[in-house]
């Protein structure tokens, strides 16, 4: 009798485990089925990004918003013409910042919403949500180029991280930081079209257009050619003749942009000649500082008034950078490559 009871218990236990396993398999199958439906995933990511940052719609104008938007007398459609795109003639672009697309977007908001901050915040949230969706499709293409298995799941999780990481709060909630949102949105679009142009060349014209729109949003977009060339190097496309033609077009866009910004470049060259060591130290220290914020996004502060000055921190920064370079090299040697490109992406985009 004891043996029979024991056998019955074991049978029940096995059946329960089997049922639980079947339920888990069904849930996993449903999740996998959802992730494979790219349109639904894109919609989910957009709504999630929008919902998380919708609380900023209750916010007012803060910090520089008061001067640049709330109390500005030049945010009118009549102030937007071809001179807006020429820094030495355009109104409001004679300083160190030349971000005409951000200003144009403010004018559009002003025309639609008047002086209400709700519309300005709404635009920021929409731009971030759109960037999240673009990041998702860009990740899919990059992972596909590197032949990564389960690319849909990895792209989805990466996009969730991009959508929810708190380090984006300043760019979304602070209207005057909209340049980051516009720049990233056009940057992602440019990279998507650049990858698609390997299949159909006419996409490259859209890549060039979006790249320049990204430059007109914020100057850090100068990193785009570095990212594109790095992608070709790591993925093995660098030696093709068509790639060399692409780089020529990237160079032309950079030349035109720098020609417009030549006044700022003259100032930077004088500053660099006087403070070269300081700039190099901040350059290397900033990598570790922002890598730390990406991994541990706590105690965020929109006003970073000082940087670590210890020689030990500088040495630590160099060691971290060297370690990441070694990891990237191992990734290439093992022909896994996507890790190397991910590390390179951070270096190239943080550099400016």
């Amino acid at each position: 009798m004891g043996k029979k009871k024991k056998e019955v218990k074991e049978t029940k236990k096995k059946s329960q485990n089997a049922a639980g396993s079947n339920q888990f398999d069904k849930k996993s199958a449903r999740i996998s089925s959802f992730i494979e439906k790219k349109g639904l995933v894109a919609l989910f990511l957009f709504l999630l990004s929008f919902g998380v940052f919708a609380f900023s719609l209750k916010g007012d104008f803060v910090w520089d918003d008061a001067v640049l938007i709330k109390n500005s007398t030049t945010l009118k459609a009549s102030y937007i013409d071809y001179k807006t795109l020429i820094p030495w003639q355009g109104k409001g672009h004679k300083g160190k910042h030349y971000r005409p697309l951000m200003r144009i977007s403010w004018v559009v908001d002003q025309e639609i919403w008047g002086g209400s901050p709700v519309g300005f915040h709404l635009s920021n949230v929409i731009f971030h949500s759109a960037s999240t969706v673009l990041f998702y499709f860009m990740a899919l293409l990059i992972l596909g180029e590197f032949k990564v298995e389960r690319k849909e799941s990895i792209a989805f999780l990466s996009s969730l991280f991009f959508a929810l990481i708190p380090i984006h709060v300043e760019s979304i909630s602070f209207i005057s930081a909209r340049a980051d949102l516009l720049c990233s949105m056009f940057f992602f679009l440019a990279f998507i079209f650049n990858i698609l142009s390997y299949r159909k060349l006419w996409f490259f014209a859209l890549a060039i257009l979006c790249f320049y729109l990204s430059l007109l949003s914020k100057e850090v977009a100068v990193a785009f050619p570095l990212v594109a060339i790095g992608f070709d190097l790591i993925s093995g496309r660098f030696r093709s003749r068509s790639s060399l033609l692409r780089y020529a077009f990237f160079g032309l866009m950079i030349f035109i942009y720098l020609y417009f910004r030549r006044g700022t470049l003259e100032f930077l060259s004088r500053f660099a000649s006087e403070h070269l060591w300081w700039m190099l130290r901040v350059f290397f220290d900033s990598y570790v500082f922002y890598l730390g914020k990406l991994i541990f996004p706590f105690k965020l502060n929109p006003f970073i008034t000082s940087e670590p000055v210890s020689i030990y921190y500088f040495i630590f920064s160099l060691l971290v950078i060297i370690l990441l370079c070694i990891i990237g090299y191992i990734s290439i040697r093992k022909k896994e490559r996507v890790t190397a490109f991910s590390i390179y992406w951070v270096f190239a985009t943080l550099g400016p």
Side-chain angles (χ1 to χ4, degrees), residues 68-81:
L68 298 175
I69 300 173
K70 185 177 181 179
N71 300 326
S72 175
T73 58
T74 60
L75 288 185
K76 300 176 182 177
S78 58
Y79 278 78
I80 301 298
D81 54 26

Side-chain angles (χ1 to χ4, degrees), residues 222-285:
V222 295
F224 180 80
L226 295 176
V227 175
I229 293 172
F231 179 79
D232 288 349
L233 276 169
I234 296 171
S235 64
R237 296 181 179 272
F238 183 73
R239 295 181 181 179
S240 65
R241 292 182 180 179
S242 62
S243 294
L244 296 178
L245 185 61
R246 296 166 191 273
Y247 308 149
F249 275 103
F250 290 146
L252 178 62
M253 293 296 102
I254 290 289
F255 176 80
I256 294 171
Y257 178 74
L258 294 182
Y259 177 77
F260 282 169
R261 300 299 308 275
R262 61 183 184 272
T264 304
L265 288 175
E266 291 172 1
F267 165 77
L268 287 176
S269 62
R270 291 196 303 269
F271 185 85
S273 63
E274 297 174 5
H275 306 280
L276 181 59
W277 165 244
W278 178 84
M279 289 185 69
L280 287 174
R281 186 173 56 78
V282 170
F283 179 79
F284 287 107
D285 290 353

Side-chain angles (χ1 to χ4, degrees), residues 286-340:
S286 295
Y287 272 125
V288 173
F289 177 83
Y290 283 107
L291 283 172
K293 291 299 180 184
L294 283 172
I295 299 170
F296 305 105
F298 308 110
K299 296 183 179 180
L300 301 174
N301 189 342
F303 294 108
I304 302 171
T305 56
S306 62
E307 72 287 340
V309 294
S310 170
I311 187 64
Y312 300 107
Y313 189 86
F314 178 70
I315 294 172
F316 176 71
S317 299
L318 287 178
L319 291 175
V320 170
I321 292 171
I322 292 170
L323 176 62
L324 289 173
C325 290
I326 292 172
I327 294 172
Y329 175 75
I330 294 172
S331 170
I332 293 173
R333 289 283 293 178
K334 290 186 174 183
K335 297 183 179 180
E336 180 262 348
R337 299 179 187 274
V338 70
T339 299

Side-chain angles (χ1 to χ4, degrees), residues 53-62 117-119 121-122 125 173:
F53 288 98
F55 294 100
S56 65
L57 299 179
K58 299 179 181 179
D60 202 345
F61 295 112
V62 295
V118 176
H121 283 296
L122 177 62
V125 176
S173 301

Side-chain angles (χ1 to χ4, degrees), residues 99-283:
R99 301 166 182 175
L101 281 193
M102 178 176 68
R103 186 170 184 81
I104 291 171
S105 72
W106 286 346
V107 170
V108 172
D109 282 341
Q110 182 72 25
E111 291 293 319
I112 296 174
W113 303 96
S116 172
V118 176
F120 289 86
H121 283 296
L122 177 62
S123 294
N124 273 24
V125 176
I126 290 174
F127 289 143
H128 171 65
S129 302
S131 294
T132 301
V133 173
L134 291 172
F135 182 89
Y136 166 69
F137 285 114
M138 183 183 69
L140 278 174
L141 285 172
I142 291 172
L143 294 168
E145 287 292 314
F146 287 112
K147 297 179 174 57
V148 176
E149 296 180 1
R150 300 177 63 188
K151 64 178 183 179
E152 290 83 5
S153 299
I154 297 173
F156 176 63
L157 292 174
S158 301
S159 303
L160 281 179
F161 179 81
F162 179 85
L164 303 178
I165 185 170
I167 205 168
H168 287 149
V169 169
E170 178 190 350
S171 298
I172 300 167
S173 301
F174 183 28
I175 300 168
S176 296
R178 181 180 294 181
D180 293 315
L181 303 174
L182 292 171
C183 180
S184 61
M185 188 170 66
F186 288 116
F187 197 102
F188 296 158
L189 263 176
F191 204 79
I192 288 171
F193 288 134
N194 186 57
I195 294 177
L196 291 176
S197 69
Y198 293 125
R199 306 170 192 177
K200 293 185 179 179
L201 189 59
W202 66 270
F203 278 113
F204 186 68
L206 295 176
I208 286 292
L209 174 62
C210 291
F211 165 46
Y212 199 69
L213 291 175
S214 185
L215 279 172
L216 295 180
S217 300
K218 192 172 182 179
E219 52 278 356
V220 295
V222 295
F224 180 80
L226 295 176
V227 175
I229 293 172
F231 179 79
D232 288 349
L233 276 169
I234 296 171
S235 64
R237 296 181 179 272
F238 183 73
R239 295 181 181 179
S240 65
R241 292 182 180 179
S242 62
S243 294
L244 296 178
L245 185 61
R246 296 166 191 273
Y247 308 149
F249 275 103
F250 290 146
L252 178 62
M253 293 296 102
I254 290 289
F255 176 80
I256 294 171
Y257 178 74
L258 294 182
Y259 177 77
F260 282 169
R261 300 299 308 275
R262 61 183 184 272
T264 304
L265 288 175
E266 291 172 1
F267 165 77
L268 287 176
S269 62
R270 291 196 303 269
F271 185 85
S273 63
E274 297 174 5
H275 306 280
L276 181 59
W277 165 244
W278 178 84
M279 289 185 69
L280 287 174
R281 186 173 56 78
V282 170
F283 179 79

